[in-house]
Amino acid sequence: MLLLAVDTATPAVTVALHDGESVVAESNQVDARRHGELLLPSVDKVLAEAGLTLEAVTGVVVGVGPGPYTGLRVGLVTASTFAAVLGVPVHGLCTLDGLAYAAGAAGVEGPFTVATDARRKEVYWARYEDPRTRVGEPAVDRPADIAEQVAGLPAVGQGALLYPEVFTDARHPEHQSAAAMASLAAERLAAGLAFLPPTPLYLRRPDAQVPKNYKVVTPQ
């Protein structure tokens, strides 16, 4: 087994390789405006570090969000393209689940909350009983509106660190880790568990929209 994991649903452009037993190489860069520019060089970097070629990959793991429209699609399109070219399966994972798994590796036990920055003064968030068990579906809300639901719980992710008045026990990790995603995916594959389809989990409409009542300038 050789899993290539990528996630661009958050400001982190993160890539990792996992051989079924451990992570063999990873790359993590945080730049919310350069997902498209950084992702493919990051893939090349981890393959070179591992001394492998893309053809050695037996499966692709991708974070499906929730996340902002543009950045999220970069990872999804890249993962699906790799999988199609290589003729291997592509496995979708909720980005928040990857962060929860990374939190467990960092020593955070349950229950706790994962929250990422959704912009517009909102967070994408979910509650977890433990690093592998999410309670309910991910949601997008203003932090003040969920204060009672997350009160007293440890919280990880950039969203938690941005709003310490609500997430009063904010902890690291701050950003997504493809290494954690790959490790979680390897566990799920070994257990025969299902994955999400490689389609985006947006939870709301994109920030950029076609303006209303715009003039048509193409010939009729």
Side-chain angles (χ1 to χ4, degrees):
M1 177 190 295
L2 184 67
L3 297 176
L4 170 65
V6 302
D7 196 323
T8 58
T10 70
V13 180
T14 179
V15 179
L17 287 171
H18 196 289
D19 65 4
E21 295 184 0
S22 62
V23 174
V24 295
E26 64 178 302
S27 171
N28 300 289
Q29 300 178 76
V30 178
D31 192 329
R33 299 181 181 276
R34 298 175 65 208
H35 292 96
E37 181 181 343
L38 295 174
L39 182 57
L40 289 179
S42 295
V43 173
D44 289 340
K45 176 184 175 183
V46 297
L47 287 167
E49 283 186 8
L52 298 167
T53 65
L54 188 61
E55 287 73 21
V57 170
T58 61
V60 181
V61 181
V62 63
V64 302
Y69 182 86
T70 304
L72 176 55
R73 288 189 66 84
V74 170
L76 285 165
V77 170
T78 301
S80 295
T81 301
F82 281 157
V85 170
L86 296 170
V88 301
V90 56
H91 309 291
L93 282 175
C94 173
T95 294
L96 301 182
D97 291 355
L99 264 165
Y101 191 87
V108 180
E109 300 178 350
F112 62 92
T113 303
V114 175
T116 61
D117 184 15
R119 304 173 186 171
R120 302 186 193 176
K121 298 182 179 180
E122 294 178 330
V123 293
Y124 297 118
W125 71 285
R127 284 185 55 171
Y128 290 79
E129 283 299 324
D130 58 59
R132 295 173 179 81
T133 310
R134 175 162 32 92
V135 180
E137 296 300 317
V140 58
D141 289 289
R142 289 183 176 273
D145 294 340
I146 60 172
E148 290 187 7
Q149 298 177 64
V150 303
L153 293 176
V156 302
Q158 187 181 38
L161 294 169
L162 285 172
Y163 301 99
E165 70 281 4
V166 172
F167 302 99
T168 55
D169 187 10
R171 306 183 187 182
H172 287 273
E174 178 179 0
H175 295 292
Q176 174 65 308
S177 161
M181 280 185 50
S183 298
L184 176 59
E187 280 192 12
R188 294 183 67 86
L189 284 168
L193 299 177
F195 289 83
L196 297 173
T199 54
L201 182 61
Y202 290 130
L203 300 188
R204 70 180 185 205
R205 296 178 63 83
D207 293 335
Q209 299 183 31
V210 177
K212 296 179 179 178
N213 304 318
Y214 67 94
K215 273 188 182 177
V216 177
V217 295
T218 53
Q220 297 295 321

mmCIF file of all heavy atoms in Angstrom, residues 156-191:
data_model
loop_
_atom_site.group_PDB
_atom_site.id
_atom_site.type_symbol
_atom_site.label_atom_id
_atom_site.label_comp_id
_atom_site.label_asym_id
_atom_site.label_seq_id
_atom_site.Cartn_x
_atom_site.Cartn_y
_atom_site.Cartn_z
ATOM 1 N N VAL A 156 -9.670 22.390 19.047
ATOM 2 C CA VAL A 156 -8.478 22.501 18.218
ATOM 3 C C VAL A 156 -8.860 23.096 16.872
ATOM 4 O O VAL A 156 -10.024 23.121 16.488
ATOM 5 C CB VAL A 156 -7.804 21.119 18.008
ATOM 6 C CG1 VAL A 156 -7.437 20.497 19.337
ATOM 7 C CG2 VAL A 156 -8.704 20.186 17.206
ATOM 8 N N GLY A 157 -7.838 23.577 16.133
ATOM 9 C CA GLY A 157 -8.076 24.172 14.830
ATOM 10 C C GLY A 157 -7.961 25.689 14.870
ATOM 11 O O GLY A 157 -8.098 26.316 15.926
ATOM 12 N N GLN A 158 -7.725 26.267 13.710
ATOM 13 C CA GLN A 158 -7.543 27.710 13.624
ATOM 14 C C GLN A 158 -8.776 28.478 14.092
ATOM 15 O O GLN A 158 -8.672 29.545 14.689
ATOM 16 C CB GLN A 158 -7.202 28.097 12.187
ATOM 17 C CG GLN A 158 -6.826 29.563 12.022
ATOM 18 C CD GLN A 158 -6.526 29.933 10.587
ATOM 19 O OE1 GLN A 158 -7.183 29.464 9.660
ATOM 20 N NE2 GLN A 158 -5.514 30.765 10.393
ATOM 21 N N GLY A 159 -9.960 27.941 13.818
ATOM 22 C CA GLY A 159 -11.187 28.615 14.244
ATOM 23 C C GLY A 159 -11.253 28.774 15.750
ATOM 24 O O GLY A 159 -11.694 29.807 16.260
ATOM 25 N N ALA A 160 -10.811 27.760 16.471
ATOM 26 C CA ALA A 160 -10.819 27.842 17.928
ATOM 27 C C ALA A 160 -9.849 28.899 18.430
ATOM 28 O O ALA A 160 -10.149 29.649 19.366
ATOM 29 C CB ALA A 160 -10.466 26.481 18.522
ATOM 30 N N LEU A 161 -8.680 28.983 17.803
ATOM 31 C CA LEU A 161 -7.685 29.963 18.223
ATOM 32 C C LEU A 161 -8.089 31.392 17.870
ATOM 33 O O LEU A 161 -7.690 32.345 18.538
ATOM 34 C CB LEU A 161 -6.338 29.633 17.582
ATOM 35 C CG LEU A 161 -5.708 28.313 18.058
ATOM 36 C CD1 LEU A 161 -4.521 27.940 17.178
ATOM 37 C CD2 LEU A 161 -5.270 28.414 19.508
ATOM 38 N N LEU A 162 -8.929 31.540 16.847
ATOM 39 C CA LEU A 162 -9.380 32.883 16.442
ATOM 40 C C LEU A 162 -10.424 33.461 17.391
ATOM 41 O O LEU A 162 -10.576 34.680 17.481
ATOM 42 C CB LEU A 162 -9.955 32.841 15.024
ATOM 43 C CG LEU A 162 -8.962 32.733 13.876
ATOM 44 C CD1 LEU A 162 -9.704 32.507 12.555
ATOM 45 C CD2 LEU A 162 -8.104 33.990 13.786
ATOM 46 N N TYR A 163 -11.156 32.582 18.083
ATOM 47 C CA TYR A 163 -12.258 33.050 18.925
ATOM 48 C C TYR A 163 -12.123 32.489 20.343
ATOM 49 O O TYR A 163 -12.944 31.686 20.799
ATOM 50 C CB TYR A 163 -13.595 32.635 18.301
ATOM 51 C CG TYR A 163 -13.790 33.190 16.913
ATOM 52 C CD1 TYR A 163 -13.530 32.407 15.784
ATOM 53 C CD2 TYR A 163 -14.215 34.506 16.712
ATOM 54 C CE1 TYR A 163 -13.690 32.916 14.506
ATOM 55 C CE2 TYR A 163 -14.377 35.018 15.440
ATOM 56 C CZ TYR A 163 -14.110 34.225 14.338
ATOM 57 O OH TYR A 163 -14.269 34.743 13.065
ATOM 58 N N PRO A 164 -11.085 32.932 21.075
ATOM 59 C CA PRO A 164 -10.838 32.387 22.414
ATOM 60 C C PRO A 164 -11.933 32.736 23.418
ATOM 61 O O PRO A 164 -12.042 32.066 24.452
ATOM 62 C CB PRO A 164 -9.501 33.029 22.806
ATOM 63 C CG PRO A 164 -9.422 34.285 21.987
ATOM 64 C CD PRO A 164 -10.088 33.949 20.685
ATOM 65 N N GLU A 165 -12.741 33.764 23.126
ATOM 66 C CA GLU A 165 -13.820 34.110 24.043
ATOM 67 C C GLU A 165 -14.914 33.048 24.041
ATOM 68 O O GLU A 165 -15.684 32.939 25.002
ATOM 69 C CB GLU A 165 -14.414 35.485 23.688
ATOM 70 C CG GLU A 165 -15.213 35.553 22.390
ATOM 71 C CD GLU A 165 -14.329 35.649 21.142
ATOM 72 O OE1 GLU A 165 -13.093 35.583 21.262
ATOM 73 O OE2 GLU A 165 -14.896 35.806 20.043
ATOM 74 N N VAL A 166 -15.002 32.262 22.968
ATOM 75 C CA VAL A 166 -15.973 31.168 22.877
ATOM 76 C C VAL A 166 -15.300 29.824 23.139
ATOM 77 O O VAL A 166 -15.768 29.023 23.937
ATOM 78 C CB VAL A 166 -16.665 31.161 21.495
ATOM 79 C CG1 VAL A 166 -17.518 29.904 21.328
ATOM 80 C CG2 VAL A 166 -17.517 32.405 21.328
ATOM 81 N N PHE A 167 -14.171 29.594 22.471
ATOM 82 C CA PHE A 167 -13.411 28.362 22.652
ATOM 83 C C PHE A 167 -12.343 28.633 23.718
ATOM 84 O O PHE A 167 -11.203 28.953 23.413
ATOM 85 C CB PHE A 167 -12.786 27.925 21.333
ATOM 86 C CG PHE A 167 -13.798 27.711 20.229
ATOM 87 C CD1 PHE A 167 -14.028 28.695 19.277
ATOM 88 C CD2 PHE A 167 -14.521 26.531 20.164
ATOM 89 C CE1 PHE A 167 -14.953 28.497 18.269
ATOM 90 C CE2 PHE A 167 -15.450 26.325 19.152
ATOM 91 C CZ PHE A 167 -15.674 27.315 18.201
ATOM 92 N N THR A 168 -12.759 28.521 24.956
ATOM 93 C CA THR A 168 -11.919 28.984 26.066
ATOM 94 C C THR A 168 -10.766 28.040 26.391
ATOM 95 O O THR A 168 -9.880 28.395 27.172
ATOM 96 C CB THR A 168 -12.780 29.184 27.320
ATOM 97 O OG1 THR A 168 -13.479 27.965 27.610
ATOM 98 C CG2 THR A 168 -13.803 30.300 27.097
ATOM 99 N N ASP A 169 -10.800 26.846 25.827
ATOM 100 C CA ASP A 169 -9.701 25.892 26.042
ATOM 101 C C ASP A 169 -9.126 25.491 24.677
ATOM 102 O O ASP A 169 -9.084 24.313 24.326
ATOM 103 C CB ASP A 169 -10.212 24.664 26.803
ATOM 104 C CG ASP A 169 -9.079 23.712 27.213
ATOM 105 O OD1 ASP A 169 -7.905 24.095 27.066
ATOM 106 O OD2 ASP A 169 -9.385 22.586 27.655
ATOM 107 N N ALA A 170 -8.713 26.508 23.909
ATOM 108 C CA ALA A 170 -8.185 26.264 22.561
ATOM 109 C C ALA A 170 -6.788 25.655 22.639
ATOM 110 O O ALA A 170 -5.946 26.099 23.411
ATOM 111 C CB ALA A 170 -8.151 27.569 21.773
ATOM 112 N N ARG A 171 -6.563 24.640 21.799
ATOM 113 C CA ARG A 171 -5.285 23.930 21.803
ATOM 114 C C ARG A 171 -4.808 23.697 20.377
ATOM 115 O O ARG A 171 -5.539 23.893 19.413
ATOM 116 C CB ARG A 171 -5.438 22.579 22.504
ATOM 117 C CG ARG A 171 -6.023 22.656 23.914
ATOM 118 C CD ARG A 171 -6.080 21.287 24.555
ATOM 119 N NE ARG A 171 -6.790 21.313 25.824
ATOM 120 C CZ ARG A 171 -6.943 20.243 26.609
ATOM 121 N NH1 ARG A 171 -6.426 19.077 26.235
ATOM 122 N NH2 ARG A 171 -7.606 20.337 27.745
ATOM 123 N N HIS A 172 -3.576 23.256 20.257
ATOM 124 C CA HIS A 172 -3.045 22.840 18.971
ATOM 125 C C HIS A 172 -3.387 21.355 18.764
ATOM 126 O O HIS A 172 -3.637 20.644 19.731
ATOM 127 C CB HIS A 172 -1.535 23.062 18.941
ATOM 128 C CG HIS A 172 -1.182 24.518 18.838
ATOM 129 N ND1 HIS A 172 -1.079 25.190 17.642
ATOM 130 C CD2 HIS A 172 -0.938 25.432 19.791
ATOM 131 C CE1 HIS A 172 -0.754 26.445 17.858
ATOM 132 N NE2 HIS A 172 -0.673 26.630 19.173
ATOM 133 N N PRO A 173 -3.439 20.876 17.505
ATOM 134 C CA PRO A 173 -2.947 21.520 16.284
ATOM 135 C C PRO A 173 -3.866 22.615 15.768
ATOM 136 O O PRO A 173 -5.080 22.558 15.943
ATOM 137 C CB PRO A 173 -2.873 20.360 15.294
ATOM 138 C CG PRO A 173 -3.930 19.404 15.763
ATOM 139 C CD PRO A 173 -3.909 19.483 17.259
ATOM 140 N N GLU A 174 -3.237 23.602 15.125
ATOM 141 C CA GLU A 174 -3.978 24.702 14.523
ATOM 142 C C GLU A 174 -4.426 24.355 13.105
ATOM 143 O O GLU A 174 -5.527 24.708 12.684
ATOM 144 C CB GLU A 174 -3.105 25.959 14.494
ATOM 145 C CG GLU A 174 -3.776 27.159 13.844
ATOM 146 C CD GLU A 174 -2.887 28.393 13.862
ATOM 147 O OE1 GLU A 174 -1.758 28.310 14.386
ATOM 148 O OE2 GLU A 174 -3.326 29.443 13.353
ATOM 149 N N HIS A 175 -3.546 23.686 12.358
ATOM 150 C CA HIS A 175 -3.814 23.444 10.941
ATOM 151 C C HIS A 175 -3.939 21.963 10.605
ATOM 152 O O HIS A 175 -3.454 21.094 11.332
ATOM 153 C CB HIS A 175 -2.704 24.067 10.087
ATOM 154 C CG HIS A 175 -2.654 25.555 10.183
ATOM 155 N ND1 HIS A 175 -3.650 26.371 9.680
ATOM 156 C CD2 HIS A 175 -1.728 26.395 10.730
ATOM 157 C CE1 HIS A 175 -3.341 27.629 9.905
ATOM 158 N NE2 HIS A 175 -2.182 27.670 10.550
ATOM 159 N N GLN A 176 -4.567 21.718 9.482
ATOM 160 C CA GLN A 176 -4.760 20.356 8.983
ATOM 161 C C GLN A 176 -3.428 19.680 8.685
ATOM 162 O O GLN A 176 -2.438 20.340 8.349
ATOM 163 C CB GLN A 176 -5.612 20.403 7.707
ATOM 164 C CG GLN A 176 -5.793 19.086 6.984
ATOM 165 C CD GLN A 176 -6.584 18.073 7.797
ATOM 166 O OE1 GLN A 176 -6.269 17.787 8.951
ATOM 167 N NE2 GLN A 176 -7.609 17.512 7.187
ATOM 168 N N SER A 177 -3.410 18.356 8.800
ATOM 169 C CA SER A 177 -2.214 17.566 8.548
ATOM 170 C C SER A 177 -2.575 16.394 7.646
ATOM 171 O O SER A 177 -3.365 15.528 8.036
ATOM 172 C CB SER A 177 -1.626 17.040 9.866
ATOM 173 O OG SER A 177 -0.766 15.946 9.638
ATOM 174 N N ALA A 178 -1.991 16.349 6.441
ATOM 175 C CA ALA A 178 -2.228 15.213 5.547
ATOM 176 C C ALA A 178 -1.651 13.939 6.131
ATOM 177 O O ALA A 178 -2.137 12.840 5.851
ATOM 178 C CB ALA A 178 -1.623 15.491 4.174
ATOM 179 N N ALA A 179 -0.611 14.058 6.949
ATOM 180 C CA ALA A 179 -0.055 12.883 7.605
ATOM 181 C C ALA A 179 -1.095 12.228 8.508
ATOM 182 O O ALA A 179 -1.246 11.000 8.526
ATOM 183 C CB ALA A 179 1.184 13.269 8.414
ATOM 184 N N ALA A 180 -1.824 13.042 9.265
ATOM 185 C CA ALA A 180 -2.883 12.502 10.118
ATOM 186 C C ALA A 180 -3.998 11.908 9.274
ATOM 187 O O ALA A 180 -4.539 10.842 9.584
ATOM 188 C CB ALA A 180 -3.429 13.595 11.026
ATOM 189 N N MET A 181 -4.353 12.595 8.191
ATOM 190 C CA MET A 181 -5.388 12.070 7.294
ATOM 191 C C MET A 181 -4.993 10.721 6.723
ATOM 192 O O MET A 181 -5.802 9.794 6.640
ATOM 193 C CB MET A 181 -5.631 13.046 6.144
ATOM 194 C CG MET A 181 -6.517 14.219 6.482
ATOM 195 S SD MET A 181 -6.832 15.195 5.015
ATOM 196 C CE MET A 181 -7.328 13.939 3.868
ATOM 197 N N ALA A 182 -3.744 10.614 6.282
ATOM 198 C CA ALA A 182 -3.271 9.368 5.689
ATOM 199 C C ALA A 182 -3.291 8.240 6.706
ATOM 200 O O ALA A 182 -3.674 7.103 6.400
ATOM 201 C CB ALA A 182 -1.866 9.559 5.126
ATOM 202 N N SER A 183 -2.896 8.541 7.942
ATOM 203 C CA SER A 183 -2.906 7.525 9.001
ATOM 204 C C SER A 183 -4.325 7.070 9.318
ATOM 205 O O SER A 183 -4.594 5.876 9.498
ATOM 206 C CB SER A 183 -2.235 8.069 10.262
ATOM 207 O OG SER A 183 -0.877 8.388 10.028
ATOM 208 N N LEU A 184 -5.242 8.040 9.364
ATOM 209 C CA LEU A 184 -6.648 7.701 9.598
ATOM 210 C C LEU A 184 -7.188 6.852 8.456
ATOM 211 O O LEU A 184 -7.896 5.858 8.678
ATOM 212 C CB LEU A 184 -7.465 8.980 9.759
ATOM 213 C CG LEU A 184 -8.978 8.816 9.911
ATOM 214 C CD1 LEU A 184 -9.315 7.962 11.132
ATOM 215 C CD2 LEU A 184 -9.662 10.177 10.000
ATOM 216 N N ALA A 185 -6.857 7.225 7.230
ATOM 217 C CA ALA A 185 -7.333 6.472 6.065
ATOM 218 C C ALA A 185 -6.788 5.044 6.076
ATOM 219 O O ALA A 185 -7.509 4.086 5.768
ATOM 220 C CB ALA A 185 -6.929 7.181 4.783
ATOM 221 N N ALA A 186 -5.521 4.879 6.447
ATOM 222 C CA ALA A 186 -4.932 3.543 6.504
ATOM 223 C C ALA A 186 -5.669 2.678 7.523
ATOM 224 O O ALA A 186 -5.930 1.489 7.283
ATOM 225 C CB ALA A 186 -3.447 3.636 6.843
ATOM 226 N N GLU A 187 -6.016 3.278 8.668
ATOM 227 C CA GLU A 187 -6.786 2.549 9.682
ATOM 228 C C GLU A 187 -8.144 2.136 9.138
ATOM 229 O O GLU A 187 -8.592 1.000 9.335
ATOM 230 C CB GLU A 187 -6.985 3.427 10.924
ATOM 231 C CG GLU A 187 -5.802 3.484 11.859
ATOM 232 C CD GLU A 187 -6.184 4.132 13.185
ATOM 233 O OE1 GLU A 187 -7.401 4.315 13.444
ATOM 234 O OE2 GLU A 187 -5.270 4.455 13.955
ATOM 235 N N ARG A 188 -8.810 3.068 8.464
ATOM 236 C CA ARG A 188 -10.151 2.790 7.948
ATOM 237 C C ARG A 188 -10.120 1.731 6.856
ATOM 238 O O ARG A 188 -11.003 0.874 6.773
ATOM 239 C CB ARG A 188 -10.791 4.081 7.438
ATOM 240 C CG ARG A 188 -11.071 5.100 8.541
ATOM 241 C CD ARG A 188 -11.766 6.339 7.997
ATOM 242 N NE ARG A 188 -13.108 6.020 7.530
ATOM 243 C CZ ARG A 188 -14.194 5.997 8.298
ATOM 244 N NH1 ARG A 188 -14.087 6.287 9.593
ATOM 245 N NH2 ARG A 188 -15.365 5.702 7.794
ATOM 246 N N LEU A 189 -9.106 1.773 6.015
ATOM 247 C CA LEU A 189 -8.970 0.751 4.978
ATOM 248 C C LEU A 189 -8.749 -0.628 5.596
ATOM 249 O O LEU A 189 -9.342 -1.626 5.165
ATOM 250 C CB LEU A 189 -7.821 1.105 4.035
ATOM 251 C CG LEU A 189 -8.101 2.209 3.015
ATOM 252 C CD1 LEU A 189 -6.802 2.667 2.357
ATOM 253 C CD2 LEU A 189 -9.082 1.713 1.954
ATOM 254 N N ALA A 190 -7.894 -0.683 6.603
ATOM 255 C CA ALA A 190 -7.613 -1.957 7.259
ATOM 256 C C ALA A 190 -8.854 -2.532 7.935
ATOM 257 O O ALA A 190 -9.026 -3.757 8.012
ATOM 258 C CB ALA A 190 -6.492 -1.776 8.279
ATOM 259 N N ALA A 191 -9.732 -1.643 8.407
ATOM 260 C CA ALA A 191 -10.953 -2.077 9.089
ATOM 261 C C ALA A 191 -12.114 -2.291 8.127
ATOM 262 O O ALA A 191 -13.211 -2.699 8.549
ATOM 263 C CB ALA A 191 -11.347 -1.057 10.152
#
